[in-house]
Amino acid sequence: MTAALACLALVGAAVVAGDSTAEERSAEEMLAEANERMRALTSVTIDMATTDSAQ
């Protein structure tokens, strides 16, 4: 999930940082790029924390 969020953040940052005269990309185009980047990953690290709710 963290990797997916990071990919989406990178895609969003690329759109914002792009040329101001460039056309805005559709949600479908952004999702396709995020999926392509996710498929290229060779490993994913998931950090997780739990709390003791029995108290």
Side-chain angles (χ1 to χ4, degrees), residues 19-37:
D19 186 19
S20 61
T21 60
E23 291 183 27
E24 189 172 319
R25 297 186 320 166
S26 70
E28 185 176 339
E29 290 171 324
M30 289 188 285
L31 183 58
E33 183 178 339
N35 282 331
E36 184 179 322
R37 290 174 185 254

Side-chain angles (χ1 to χ4, degrees), residues 6-55:
C7 264
L8 291 175
L10 287 174
V11 170
V15 170
V16 171
D19 186 19
S20 61
T21 60
E23 291 183 27
E24 189 172 319
R25 297 186 320 166
S26 70
E28 185 176 339
E29 290 171 324
M30 289 188 285
L31 183 58
E33 183 178 339
N35 282 331
E36 184 179 322
R37 290 174 185 254
M38 290 296 291
R39 285 186 191 102
L41 293 175
T42 57
S43 67
V44 176
T45 301
I46 300 172
D47 292 329
M48 191 170 131
T50 60
T51 58
D52 185 11
S53 61
Q55 294 180 358

